[in-house]
């Protein structure tokens, strides 16, 4: 009897200890959506590598925007069409230029039907015979009135070392364009423009699509019909033709114009997905509970429902960045993009089409490789992020 009394507490002790561990302060809790998503991303080595590449591009964007790198991309440091260093310098015959980059041109032939031909010939002869021959600027014998002043300015620049800026390198690490701009610095500066356009336009498009989809899916009725009619207008026109039509109507070039064009036309995909999510969530118990305690429509839409569908907007944001970078390249390539004096990957490809005919391929290769690496890395990261945020995946 005594032994059984002492054995009962001994057998019950482990059960009591187990209950204490399960309900005490040290008990573990289930991780949230973002913690699970980050855990899945860290387990995907391809996704982490893609994220690192995207991060490097963003760091390069910040350094370029602050002027720490590629700020002097427009400086003419190389000869015209300077080849990459690994190809070696071109000869003067291949370039068509002399050592001082002056174009060697033959004298223009005389016009046989020019009524001033004889007069011009006499003026040239008299100028040659004179002690101080006049400076002829063109075939009509116009004397340059600023010749002496310009000679003095050039002499002063030569004394101050200004002539050193005229010395151009025959080769550059990845070549030069027709103006002698370094292709590497030009590609970095072009990346700044293209990435900024992609990010800002994607933020604008996703914000519009999220707001429109939330209002349409939550309220339904005639509000939903009105937004669906508006959505049908935008989706009935092919996307590329739509952005080209808007660009042609605006008749303005610049980063702001491109951002508005892409942002105001690219919200339809986000709208469709967010609308479906709001139609599904607005009838769930937690929304009804918020309605029972007197929550406003705005609070229910963006305080209760949106945190549960925010992963859709995030994935659409990453997808839209890739699409808008490619759209900016297409717009700039067709002449509707950035203005003269602003470089982007699209403007580089636009210039490269004429250079490719001459066999100068390095600007095309630089812009294409830089864009291909970024788009590929962003696409891989987007696919991994979509899988990580999918609540159906375990």
């Amino acid at each position: 009897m005594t032994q059984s009394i002492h054995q009962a507490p001994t057998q019950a002790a482990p059960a009591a200890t187990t209950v204490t561990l399960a309900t005490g302060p040290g008990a573990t809790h289930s991780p949230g959506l973002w913690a699970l998503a980050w855990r899945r991303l860290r387990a995907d080595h391809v996704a982490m590598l893609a994220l690192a590449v995207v991060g490097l591009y963003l760091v390069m964007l910040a350094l370029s925007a602050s002027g720490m790198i590629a700020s002097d991309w427009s400086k003419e440091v190389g000869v015209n069409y300077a080849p990459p260093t690994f190809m070696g310098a071109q000869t003067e015959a291949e370039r068509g230029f002399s050592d001082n980059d002056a174009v060697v041109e033959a004298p223009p032939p005389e016009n046989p039907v020019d009524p001033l031909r004889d007069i011009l010939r006499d003026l040239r002869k008299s100028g040659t015979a004179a002690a101080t021959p006049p400076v002829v600027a063109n075939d009509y014998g116009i004397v340059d009135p600023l010749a002496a002043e310009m000679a003095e300015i050039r002499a002063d620049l030569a004394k101050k070392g200004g002539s050193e800026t005229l010395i151009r390198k025959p080769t550059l690490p990845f070549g030069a364009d027709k103006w002698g701009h370094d292709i590497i610095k030009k590609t970095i500066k072009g990346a700044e423009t293209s990435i900024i356009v992609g990010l800002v336009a994607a933020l604008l498009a996703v914000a519009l699509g999220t707001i429109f989809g939330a209002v349409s899916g939550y309220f339904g009725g005639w509000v939903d019909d009105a937004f669906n009619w508006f959505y049908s207008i935008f989706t009935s026109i092919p996307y590329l033709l739509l952005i080209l039509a808007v660009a042609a109507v605006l008749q303005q070039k610049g980063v702001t114009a491109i951002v508005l064009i892409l942002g105001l036309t690219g919200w339809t995909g986000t709208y469709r997905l967010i609308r479906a999510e709001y139609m599904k969530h607005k009838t769930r118990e937690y929304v009804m509970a918020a309605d029972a305690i007197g929550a406003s429509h705005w609070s229910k839409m963006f305080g209760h429902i949106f945190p549960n569908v925010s992963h859709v907007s995030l994935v659409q944001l990453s997808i839209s960045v890739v699409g808008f970078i490619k759209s900016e390249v297409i717009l700039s390539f067709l002449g509707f993009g950035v203005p003269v004096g602003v470089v982007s990957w699209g403007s580089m490809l636009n210039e490269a089409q004429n250079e490719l005919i001459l066999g100068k391929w390095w600007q095309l290769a630089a812009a294409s490789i830089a864009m291909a690496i970024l788009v590929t890395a962003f696409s891989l990261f987007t696919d991994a992020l979509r899988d990580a945020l999918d609540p159906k995946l375990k």
Side-chain angles (χ1 to χ4, degrees):
M1 182 70 180
T2 305
Q3 292 179 355
S4 62
I5 293 175
H6 287 289
Q7 289 177 356
T10 304
Q11 295 176 355
T17 304
T18 304
V19 173
T20 303
L21 290 175
T23 59
T28 58
H29 299 281
S30 298
L33 174 64
W34 299 106
L36 288 174
W38 177 242
R39 186 182 301 173
R40 291 169 183 158
L41 278 177
R42 285 189 302 176
D44 191 343
H45 300 293
V46 176
M48 297 306 296
L49 178 61
L51 180 60
V53 173
V54 174
L56 289 177
Y57 271 85
L58 294 178
V59 171
M60 183 179 66
L61 166 64
L63 295 177
S64 177
S66 62
M68 298 180 66
I69 58 174
S71 59
D72 57 344
W73 70 271
S74 59
K75 186 177 180 181
E76 299 175 2
V77 295
V79 299
N80 302 75
Y81 298 122
T85 304
F86 57 84
M87 291 182 58
Q90 293 179 337
T91 62
E92 295 180 7
E94 293 174 337
R95 290 167 45 216
F97 297 94
S98 61
D99 290 335
N100 57 358
D101 293 328
V103 180
V104 181
E105 296 181 353
E110 288 187 340
N111 188 356
V113 296
D114 188 359
L116 301 176
R117 181 183 58 180
D118 296 335
I119 299 175
L120 291 175
R121 188 182 293 113
D122 294 338
L123 287 174
R124 293 191 183 97
K125 288 180 180 179
S126 62
T128 304
T132 305
V135 180
V136 180
N138 52 37
D139 287 342
Y140 293 96
I142 300 176
V143 178
D144 186 4
L146 300 176
E149 288 79 1
M150 293 301 299
E152 294 178 0
I153 293 174
R154 294 189 183 96
D156 293 339
L157 289 175
K159 292 179 182 179
K160 296 178 181 179
S163 60
E164 295 178 359
T165 58
L166 299 177
I167 301 176
R168 302 182 181 182
K169 298 179 181 179
T171 62
L172 290 173
F174 209 83
D177 61 4
K178 63 180 178 180
W179 308 112
H181 302 153
D182 191 345
I183 291 297
I184 294 180
K185 294 181 179 180
K186 193 174 181 181
T187 304
I188 294 175
K189 199 65 179 181
E192 176 189 341
T193 303
S194 298
I195 295 175
I196 287 178
V197 167
L199 288 175
V200 179
L203 286 173
L204 177 59
V206 171
L208 290 176
T210 300
I211 295 174
F212 293 167
V215 174
S216 176
Y218 178 81
F219 288 104
W222 67 268
V223 177
D224 187 32
D225 294 338
F227 276 104
N228 281 333
W229 174 79
F230 196 51
Y231 165 81
S232 300
I233 293 176
F234 276 81
T235 55
S236 62
I237 305 173
Y239 180 66
L240 183 58
L241 295 180
L242 179 62
I243 61 176
L244 290 178
V246 175
V249 170
L250 291 180
Q251 288 293 329
Q252 291 183 357
K253 293 183 178 181
V255 175
T256 303
I258 298 177
V259 167
L260 291 177
I261 291 171
L262 298 178
L264 295 178
T265 58
W267 54 268
T268 54
T270 305
Y271 162 81
R272 183 181 66 253
L273 296 176
I274 293 295
R275 172 180 173 270
E277 292 293 328
Y278 267 76
M279 292 177 66
K280 180 174 62 177
H281 280 265
K282 70 177 182 179
T283 58
R284 291 191 172 178
E285 290 79 3
Y286 72 92
V287 180
M288 295 181 180
D291 184 52
I293 63 176
S296 63
H297 293 303
W298 180 269
S299 177
K300 287 184 287 185
M301 280 193 297
F302 297 102
H304 294 82
I305 300 179
F306 181 71
N308 294 283
V309 301
S310 58
H311 62 281
V312 178
S313 297
L314 183 61
V315 172
Q316 285 299 115
L317 176 65
S318 59
I319 294 175
S320 299
V321 169
V322 176
F324 289 158
I325 288 176
K326 293 188 289 186
S327 297
E328 183 276 328
V329 170
I330 295 174
L331 282 175
S332 298
F333 179 77
L334 296 177
F336 293 98
V338 295
V340 178
V342 179
V343 62
S344 70
W345 288 338
S347 63
M348 291 179 65
L349 294 177
N350 191 11
E351 295 178 7
Q353 62 178 337
N354 297 325
E355 298 176 357
L356 193 60
I357 300 176
L358 302 176
K360 320 298 182 182
W361 51 266
W362 35 90
Q363 182 166 203
L364 174 66
S368 301
I369 292 173
M371 183 177 63
I373 292 175
L374 177 61
V375 170
T376 302
F378 228 125
S379 299
L380 292 175
F381 175 71
T382 298
D383 292 339
L385 182 63
R386 184 193 299 113
D387 295 340
L389 290 174
D390 191 349
K392 297 179 181 178
L393 295 178
K394 299 295 182 181

